[in-house]
Amino acid sequence: MTGSRTGAGGGKVEITFLPSGTSVRIPTGTTVFHAAHWAGLPIESTCGGRGTCGKCGVRVVSGSAEPMPADHRHLAGKLDEGWRLSCQCTVVGAMTIDAPPPSTTPRAATMGVGRFVLLEPNVVKVLLEPAPPTLDDRRSQLLRIVEAVDEAGYACRYEWQIVPRIAEALRHDGPVTATLVGDHLVDVERGDTRERLFGVSIDLGTTTCVCTLVDLRTGSTASVASALNHQSTYGADVIARTAMAMQGPDEVEALRRTAVSTVNELLSRVREDAGVEPEEISEAVVVGNATMLHLLCGVSPESIALAPYVAAFLEPQDLRADQVGFDMQPLGRVALFPSIGAYVGADIVADIVATGLVRDPELRLLVDVGTNGEIACGNAERSVATAAPAGPAFEGGEILHGMRAVDGAIEGVRLTDGVVELQVIGDDAVVPRGLCGSGLIDAVAQLRLVGLLDDGGRMLAREAAQELGHPLADRIETVDEVRAFRLSDAVILTQADVRALQFAKGAIATGIETAMATLGVTAPELSAVLLAGSFGSYLDPRSAQVIGLVPPVPVDRIEAVGNAASEGAKMALLSFREREVAWELPDTMEYVELSGQGDFNDRFIANLRFPPLASLPDLEADALRSATTVEAAG
Amino acid sequence: MTGSRTGAGGGKVEITFLPSGTSVRIPTGTTVFHAAHWAGLPIESTCGGRGTCGKCGVRVVSGSAEPMPADHRHLAGKLDEGWRLSCQCTVVGAMTIDAPPPSTTPRAATMGVGRFVLLEPNVVKVLLEPAPPTLDDRRSQLLRIVEAVDEAGYACRYEWQIVPRIAEALRHDGPVTATLVGDHLVDVERGDTRERLFGVSIDLGTTTCVCTLVDLRTGSTASVASALNHQSTYGADVIARTAMAMQGPDEVEALRRTAVSTVNELLSRVREDAGVEPEEISEAVVVGNATMLHLLCGVSPESIALAPYVAAFLEPQDLRADQVGFDMQPLGRVALFPSIGAYVGADIVADIVATGLVRDPELRLLVDVGTNGEIACGNAERSVATAAPAGPAFEGGEILHGMRAVDGAIEGVRLTDGVVELQVIGDDAVVPRGLCGSGLIDAVAQLRLVGLLDDGGRMLAREAAQELGHPLADRIETVDEVRAFRLSDAVILTQADVRALQFAKGAIATGIETAMATLGVTAPELSAVLLAGSFGSYLDPRSAQVIGLVPPVPVDRIEAVGNAASEGAKMALLSFREREVAWELPDTMEYVELSGQGDFNDRFIANLRFPPLASLPDLEADALRSATTVEAAG
């Protein structure tokens, strides 16, 4: 790729679109074309905002807009009236724009979390009928194609490796099909191949990698596959892999190769499933946390791990597929989503795109719970992102019987009428062997709800529970001089486990609190709390609320949004407009560094406690009654 | 690379520079900055004409020049007076420009064929002192460097593979050195490495490859090496290699690999000789004929070989070194000179740069004699290029005792006072085994001068010569019923050999005649005839004149310019201004396709004859006297 700097660094300015009067605040440096899309008023374009199709003209009613060369080319004679190509017009200050409605409505689909997306992929196939060379027209084959693409209304740049492809396609007369990814000319084929147009979105998770093959003509998913990240053999989490990478370049290269092999396994599966050739996949859009993206590019994440925790790169990257090593069109492009910070990665940016968090007026909170909790809060007006170091408890680490969410893990716990109901991963015969993150949170929340844990996290002694006639009193034991609650023959939850969870949830709750305090908003103002990431999908919203992992909002406002990151990547694949939004997103959000907050420790300590059950807005009276047990037993 | 189209396609317009009043005709689409250099009035710049340093301001006195974004940045307040950055100002029509003289005079050197070159290489090292990251400044390492380069006044784009280099350089505090090739950021190193700055020029000849290692700080040559093109094992000439390439992609790849291995052998030798590490070579500039450049890029030259003879690419290319396979700075750049046509290659463009043929007022003719004769004629006002298919005679092909210029080849012949003097390649004891091209031309020219060949190329019979008492009469024999002249025990020159040479020289003479006719000029107007290429260096100017290979100008106007292509490449390496001239050159010259000329056959047949000796402007009377022998003997 050839990279460029993101955004313009300046502040935000307001741009108003007539005739609707819709306003949007956008970073300076954004084009009017993209600002309109931010405002939900897409302007017509076939070239993707590159100044070549000439269709995105608007009239500047107020504000500064010097005419650009493309304006002279396409709008000569209308410049004095204020007409400009919106894609060439960079916003430097407040503006009012009269934008004619599109004459044609592009196809659209609902994607992500209820987002309405215009299907205008970044990949375009153009049928060309280049005139054969003659003694009078001896242009090179390269120039012949480049000029034909230009005449078709598309800007194009090329890498020299396209030349043999062109020479092959032009060996015989007849039409050829040029494939453009953005303005990169990535293939030239003999004949008309416009029927075959594919892209993939890739969510390169630390644990799991998901690949979605998309038919870019229709927007439909042709195949999906997921696999364990092959890097897992080198260590389960980001910390283990970073430690390995810090050993030297060979280790970085080993991690890079395994990341690539993970993706290639998935590409091979989705291709086979859908009957698609590698060369037919023109673009991949990749999301993942900053460490995963560093390793995919063969960059050591060392600087992310060491104070002051800066990434080697956060900017979106536009890479060539053969250089990355993906088994797809060799000259095809691999687009890496931008990250917001070293610990608020491209996966969160994709979550935000999928949920529209920073484009809608309603105030929402997005939390991706994991070793590192990633938090975004806000709306179209203003938004804040931060990261909170939760530690390994949510992944079963530092928990006596903690384990990953595999067969034998307790993933759900209900304590009702003195009965312990366990939901265990695996078939019916599986014997519970330990607790995974969601089981841990459930167990602690249930112990709170049945009155066996106080606000401070202290577990009731067996004798005290027996005295109160608590039906689960006999489940309380003392193991190695520490109180514990027996969940099954093999699995107990200790007082120390509860403390570990308190530290983890305390960190995330502090991050959320800081983000909300920065915005000056309170829990009742939140229209939704979105739990992102695969862990978020398994989390019981009530449990998250009860332990205070999320702010005290009614449970029906807590929503798991599943693999929103994959959805965000897919949206960017299918809509160049959504992609622009994603690429500009880091510049539009405020980033708060928790460790830079003077009152972090105070807030953290306060957040170690569980919220008083009475403070939860929608807890039924009976739950509250039983929950008073532990208080009474003090 | 990322390519772009050359030139703007339009016609030429005149631009006048004040206060000198100097005018130059340049293609539309050229910038004022480059036009000034064409006119020999270089404008100050440190960023190489990328709109970032802001030093190249000029005042537009007349002509159209819309202000560009960079103008607003650097010249705000002076725009109304007509000030513009000359590097951002594209010439669309006639203009008058007031250009202030540079405040500093860049270093310069005499290079090429007496060219005065400003030493401003395309490669720049910039010392940066990036502030270390803090909690308040958490920009990515990438952005930190890109912004520091920007602040130093240089535009920069990057490929993602630079990120690990940046991460490594920033592992410790302190200054770093960024290397820019053009606007490509190709390396970032810890410390101050500005003392080490190297580039190479590479002349990839069909037979011989020459590599010159240049210290870009001083402009001095650090080492030169040459070697046989390793492709020779696959065939001696362009035709043999094209035939091999047409067998399929594997053969093209084999030819590509051997071209690269040739260059790498030379790189290794010049590096070792000068004590330079691969990473210290930041840029390579490559010249060669179009077929060689195609093969270097792994592109089949098939389309060059088949009617209507178009190249896959003619445009200048900007490639990444590791993708080409050169053993130098991996992210360094490899610049391929543009070609004018499929048979007027980048080597001729480099010749033209080295000689200044299209920039000086004097009218000159440049000829590169070989299997394919390449011809350029003109001056700053107007110039024409063409190519003439000479066939293999100049390389010893189709000549009975023809051979390449290796040990045992007769490379020079003198016939004086009845004595045959032979100049033979090799040590004193070597026995002549055959005739190479220059020996062939000498032999024929000498036979003309001693009166043994008539204007039509007919050799005098032995008996007729004896009758005339010619001292060399006994050297004339009849072999296989064909007349022949015995040069040595083992080597004769036959009547058929003379005919073969007539065909070869006739083709080139026709090319020259066509080029000159296109310009409407005659031989006496030529201030010089430049013989380029290694063959040109060995050619005796008098012999070239006598056989009519070149127009009838006095011998002292015929000049061998040696390996001018290497010099032209070196100039482009050492001066970004010379490079711009080279890149624009194909658009400034007219290309004449000989096979498209209706009267080609008539001209060709006329040019098979040798010029009457009396028509040669500077032949001594005695030479003319003896030359009448053959006529008298009719």
Side-chain angles (χ1 to χ4, degrees):
Chain A
M1 90 139 187
T2 351
S4 56
R5 297 163 49 194
T6 56
K12 282 197 203 177
V13 294
E14 185 160 286
I15 177 165
T16 304
F17 290 94
L18 303 177
S20 68
T22 309
S23 288
V24 64
R25 285 176 59 78
I26 45 120
T28 56
T30 310
T31 65
V32 170
F33 180 75
H34 292 125
H37 185 59
W38 274 85
L41 298 166
I43 295 172
E44 189 160 359
S45 169
T46 56
C47 74
R50 293 187 178 79
T52 55
C53 73
K55 294 188 177 168
C56 67
V58 297
R59 199 169 59 79
V60 179
V61 177
S62 73
S64 162
E66 286 291 336
M68 302 294 287
D71 292 319
H72 288 281
R73 208 153 53 233
H74 292 289
L75 296 172
K78 296 171 77 182
L79 296 176
D80 289 346
E81 298 163 39
W83 283 87
R84 299 287 183 273
L85 293 182
S86 60
C87 72
Q88 299 295 299
C89 185
T90 304
V91 179
V92 291
M95 296 184 96
T96 304
I97 296 293
D98 189 359
S103 62
T104 57
T105 308
R107 284 172 313 126
T110 302
M111 298 175 66
V113 181
R115 309 300 302 170
F116 190 70
V117 175
L118 299 179
L119 296 180
E120 291 170 306
N122 195 41
V123 186
V124 179
K125 281 195 170 183
V126 186
L127 188 69
L128 307 174
E129 316 232 15
T134 63
L135 284 178
D136 292 330
D137 175 9
R138 306 167 56 79
R139 284 175 299 166
S140 72
Q141 295 176 324
L142 173 62
L143 190 59
R144 198 172 297 275
I145 292 297
V146 168
E147 292 191 346
V149 170
D150 187 52
E151 281 156 24
Y154 295 89
C156 108
R157 52 177 164 157
Y158 59 86
E159 299 196 75
W160 56 291
Q161 289 91 345
I162 196 70
V163 178
R165 296 288 299 161
I166 291 176
E168 181 60 32
L170 292 186
R171 284 187 72 186
H172 307 272
D173 291 347
V176 299
T177 305
T179 307
L180 291 160
V181 181
D183 58 356
H184 294 279
L185 180 62
V186 305
D187 201 10
V188 177
E189 300 165 284
R190 194 176 168 197
D192 183 351
T193 68
R194 288 175 297 173
E195 287 290 293
R196 304 287 290 176
L197 191 65
F198 296 92
V200 288
S201 72
I202 294 164
D203 177 11
L204 184 62
T206 308
T207 307
T208 306
C209 182
V210 182
C211 175
T212 309
L213 178 67
V214 181
D215 185 332
L216 300 179
R217 290 171 316 145
T218 62
S220 62
T221 295
S223 180
V224 185
S226 69
L228 203 63
N229 187 329
H230 295 184
Q231 290 177 338
S232 301
T233 57
Y234 295 122
D237 55 28
V238 159
I239 295 163
R241 295 191 209 153
T242 300
M244 173 174 167
M246 287 169 69
Q247 288 171 39
D250 291 350
E251 284 75 11
V252 172
E253 174 58 17
L255 287 160
R256 188 196 67 78
R257 272 203 312 271
T258 44
V260 171
S261 80
T262 309
V263 172
N264 281 340
E265 177 201 327
L266 294 173
L267 284 173
S268 156
R269 280 163 49 193
V270 296
R271 282 201 320 261
E272 190 170 326
D273 183 42
V276 170
E277 296 299 319
E279 292 68 28
E280 294 179 321
I281 302 178
S282 302
E283 186 174 42
V285 173
V286 182
V287 300
N289 62 50
T291 300
M292 285 304 114
L293 297 190
H294 275 54
L295 290 175
L296 179 67
C297 291
V299 180
S300 170
E302 179 180 76
S303 62
I304 295 177
L306 302 177
Y309 316 111
V310 296
F313 68 98
L314 297 169
E315 296 69 27
Q317 301 288 335
D318 171 14
L319 320 178
R320 212 173 78 192
D322 60 351
Q323 292 178 13
V324 180
F326 286 176
D327 293 338
M328 50 182 279
Q329 166 60 242
L331 297 186
R333 307 304 299 186
V334 176
L336 305 192
F337 255 61
S339 297
I340 295 171
Y343 287 102
V344 182
D347 44 356
I348 301 306
V349 174
D351 285 337
I352 294 169
V353 168
T355 57
L357 188 85
V358 298
R359 296 177 64 195
D360 284 354
E362 48 175 349
L363 181 74
R364 288 180 291 172
L365 169 70
L366 175 89
V367 188
D368 189 328
V369 180
T371 308
N372 182 57
E374 292 147 321
I375 295 148
C377 189
N379 58 16
E381 183 64 27
R382 190 177 169 200
S383 57
V384 165
T386 190
F394 293 128
E395 295 180 352
E398 296 178 9
I399 304 297
L400 180 65
H401 289 145
M403 65 183 289
R404 301 184 67 84
V406 294
D407 274 12
I410 298 168
E411 60 170 349
V413 176
R414 286 291 167 275
L415 308 179
T416 34
D417 305 327
V419 177
V420 177
E421 282 177 65
L422 301 179
Q423 194 180 337
V424 184
I425 301 176
D427 60 29
D428 290 348
V430 75
V431 174
R433 294 186 291 119
L435 271 172
C436 69
S438 60
L440 173 70
I441 290 173
D442 258 17
V444 171
Q446 290 289 311
L447 287 173
R448 280 285 290 153
L449 286 172
V450 300
L452 292 179
L453 280 183
D454 72 7
D455 289 5
R458 193 165 55 99
M459 200 180 284
L460 201 62
R462 181 179 197 155
E463 299 70 28
Q466 283 171 334
E467 256 174 52
L468 291 167
H470 197 291
L472 291 166
D474 292 349
R475 292 270 183 168
I476 301 171
E477 304 175 4
T478 301
V479 178
D480 292 338
E481 298 180 29
V482 170
R483 285 180 199 167
F485 184 87
R486 181 159 298 280
L487 289 162
S488 76
D489 289 349
V491 183
I492 59 171
L493 176 79
T494 72
Q495 179 68 65
D497 295 342
V498 176
R499 295 296 182 215
L501 181 68
Q502 284 177 279
F503 274 87
K505 79 99 189 172
I508 292 192
T510 306
I512 293 172
E513 192 177 272
T514 304
M516 291 175 65
T518 303
L519 291 173
V521 299
T522 58
E525 296 171 63
L526 292 173
S527 69
V529 173
L530 309 173
L531 299 175
S534 56
F535 186 55
S537 306
Y538 294 105
L539 251 182
D540 182 73
R542 171 67 80 195
S543 296
Q545 179 212 48
V546 166
I547 69 164
L549 178 65
V550 298
V553 297
V555 163
D556 61 8
R557 292 196 200 161
I558 304 175
E559 187 187 347
V561 293
N563 190 356
S566 268
E567 279 293 302
K570 194 174 140 187
M571 285 165 65
L573 188 64
L574 280 166
S575 164
F576 72 84
R577 302 177 199 260
E578 294 294 332
R579 178 173 319 203
E580 285 296 330
V581 167
W583 270 216
E584 289 161 5
L585 204 146
D587 284 334
T588 70
M589 293 190 78
E590 298 164 44
Y591 179 79
V592 179
E593 171 58 31
L594 276 196
S595 52
Q597 302 290 309
D599 57 354
F600 174 76
N601 283 336
D602 293 346
R603 284 182 191 262
F604 177 63
I605 288 166
N607 274 308
L608 291 176
R609 299 182 68 82
F610 295 116
L613 293 178
S615 71
L616 300 179
D618 57 349
L619 214 55
E620 299 85 358
D622 57 334
L624 280 174
R625 237 189 335 275
S626 71
T628 53
T629 310
V630 71
E631 316 293 343
Chain B
M1 99 140 179
T2 356
S4 55
R5 295 164 52 195
T6 56
K12 282 198 205 178
V13 295
E14 185 160 284
I15 176 165
T16 304
F17 289 94
L18 302 178
S20 67
T22 310
S23 288
V24 64
R25 285 175 61 79
I26 44 122
T28 57
T30 310
T31 65
V32 170
F33 179 76
H34 292 125
H37 185 59
W38 274 85
L41 298 166
I43 295 172
E44 191 161 358
S45 168
T46 56
C47 74
R50 292 187 178 81
T52 57
C53 75
K55 293 187 179 169
C56 67
V58 297
R59 200 168 60 78
V60 178
V61 177
S62 74
S64 162
E66 284 291 335
M68 302 294 285
D71 292 319
H72 288 281
R73 209 155 51 235
H74 292 288
L75 296 172
K78 296 170 76 181
L79 297 176
D80 289 346
E81 298 162 39
W83 284 87
R84 299 288 184 272
L85 292 182
S86 59
C87 72
Q88 300 294 298
C89 183
T90 303
V91 179
V92 292
M95 295 184 98
T96 304
I97 295 291
D98 188 359
S103 62
T104 57
T105 309
R107 283 173 312 126
T110 302
M111 299 176 66
V113 181
R115 308 302 301 168
F116 189 70
V117 175
L118 298 179
L119 295 182
E120 291 170 307
N122 194 41
V123 186
V124 178
K125 281 195 169 182
V126 186
L127 188 70
L128 307 174
E129 316 231 17
T134 63
L135 284 178
D136 292 331
D137 176 8
R138 305 167 56 78
R139 285 176 297 166
S140 72
Q141 297 176 320
L142 173 63
L143 190 59
R144 197 172 296 276
I145 292 297
V146 168
E147 292 192 344
V149 170
D150 188 52
E151 282 156 23
Y154 297 88
C156 108
R157 53 178 163 155
Y158 59 86
E159 299 196 76
W160 56 292
Q161 289 91 344
I162 196 70
V163 178
R165 296 288 299 162
I166 292 176
E168 181 61 32
L170 292 186
R171 284 185 73 186
H172 306 272
D173 291 346
V176 300
T177 305
T179 307
L180 292 161
V181 181
D183 59 355
H184 293 280
L185 180 62
V186 305
D187 200 10
V188 177
E189 300 165 283
R190 196 178 166 196
D192 183 353
T193 68
R194 288 175 297 175
E195 289 290 293
R196 306 286 291 176
L197 191 65
F198 296 92
V200 287
S201 72
I202 293 164
D203 177 10
L204 185 62
T206 308
T207 307
T208 306
C209 181
V210 181
C211 175
T212 309
L213 178 67
V214 181
D215 184 333
L216 300 178
R217 289 171 318 147
T218 62
S220 62
T221 295
S223 180
V224 185
S226 70
L228 202 65
N229 187 329
H230 294 184
Q231 289 177 339
S232 301
T233 57
Y234 295 123
D237 55 27
V238 160
I239 295 162
R241 297 192 209 153
T242 300
M244 172 172 168
M246 287 170 69
Q247 289 170 38
D250 291 348
E251 284 75 11
V252 172
E253 174 59 15
L255 287 161
R256 188 196 67 77
R257 272 203 313 271
T258 44
V260 171
S261 79
T262 309
V263 172
N264 282 340
E265 177 202 327
L266 293 173
L267 284 173
S268 158
R269 280 163 50 192
V270 296
R271 281 201 321 263
E272 191 171 326
D273 183 41
V276 170
E277 295 298 318
E279 292 70 25
E280 294 179 321
I281 302 178
S282 302
E283 186 173 42
V285 173
V286 182
V287 301
N289 63 49
T291 300
M292 286 303 115
L293 297 189
H294 276 55
L295 291 175
L296 179 67
C297 290
V299 180
S300 170
E302 179 179 79
S303 63
I304 295 177
L306 302 177
Y309 316 111
V310 296
F313 69 97
L314 298 169
E315 296 69 26
Q317 301 288 334
D318 170 16
L319 321 177
R320 212 173 79 192
D322 60 350
Q323 292 179 12
V324 180
F326 287 176
D327 292 338
M328 50 182 280
Q329 166 60 245
L331 298 185
R333 307 304 299 186
V334 176
L336 305 193
F337 256 61
S339 296
I340 295 170
Y343 287 103
V344 182
D347 44 356
I348 301 307
V349 174
D351 285 336
I352 293 169
V353 168
T355 57
L357 188 85
V358 298
R359 295 176 66 195
D360 284 355
E362 47 175 352
L363 181 74
R364 287 181 291 172
L365 169 69
L366 176 88
V367 188
D368 188 329
V369 179
T371 307
N372 182 58
E374 291 147 321
I375 293 148
C377 189
N379 57 15
E381 183 63 27
R382 190 177 171 200
S383 57
V384 164
T386 189
F394 293 128
E395 295 179 352
E398 296 178 7
I399 303 297
L400 180 65
H401 288 146
M403 65 183 287
R404 300 184 68 83
V406 295
D407 275 10
I410 297 168
E411 61 170 349
V413 176
R414 286 290 167 277
L415 309 178
T416 35
D417 304 326
V419 177
V420 176
E421 281 176 64
L422 302 179
Q423 193 179 336
V424 185
I425 301 176
D427 58 30
D428 290 349
V430 75
V431 173
R433 294 188 290 120
L435 271 171
C436 70
S438 59
L440 173 69
I441 291 172
D442 259 16
V444 171
Q446 290 288 314
L447 287 173
R448 279 285 289 154
L449 286 172
V450 299
L452 294 179
L453 280 183
D454 71 7
D455 289 5
R458 192 167 54 98
M459 200 180 284
L460 201 63
R462 181 179 195 153
E463 299 70 28
Q466 283 171 332
E467 258 173 50
L468 290 168
H470 198 290
L472 291 167
D474 291 350
R475 293 270 185 169
I476 300 171
E477 306 175 3
T478 300
V479 179
D480 292 340
E481 298 179 30
V482 170
R483 286 183 199 162
F485 184 85
R486 182 158 300 277
L487 289 163
S488 76
D489 288 350
V491 184
I492 58 172
L493 176 80
T494 72
Q495 179 69 64
D497 296 341
V498 175
R499 296 294 181 216
L501 180 69
Q502 285 177 280
F503 273 88
K505 78 98 190 174
I508 292 193
T510 306
I512 292 172
E513 191 177 274
T514 305
M516 290 175 65
T518 303
L519 291 173
V521 298
T522 58
E525 296 172 64
L526 292 173
S527 68
V529 174
L530 309 174
L531 299 176
S534 55
F535 186 53
S537 306
Y538 293 105
L539 251 183
D540 181 74
R542 170 68 77 195
S543 297
Q545 180 212 47
V546 166
I547 69 164
L549 179 65
V550 297
V553 297
V555 163
D556 61 8
R557 291 195 201 165
I558 304 175
E559 186 186 349
V561 294
N563 190 355
S566 267
E567 279 293 302
K570 196 173 140 189
M571 285 165 65
L573 188 64
L574 280 166
S575 165
F576 72 84
R577 301 177 200 259
E578 293 295 331
R579 178 173 319 202
E580 285 297 331
V581 167
W583 270 214
E584 289 162 4
L585 204 147
D587 284 336
T588 70
M589 294 190 77
E590 297 165 45
Y591 180 80
V592 178
E593 171 59 31
L594 277 195
S595 53
Q597 302 290 310
D599 57 355
F600 173 77
N601 284 336
D602 293 345
R603 285 181 191 262
F604 176 64
I605 287 166
N607 275 306
L608 291 176
R609 299 182 68 82
F610 295 116
L613 293 178
S615 72
L616 301 178
D618 57 350
L619 215 54
E620 299 84 357
D622 58 334
L624 279 174
R625 236 188 336 273
S626 70
T628 53
T629 310
V630 71
E631 316 292 343

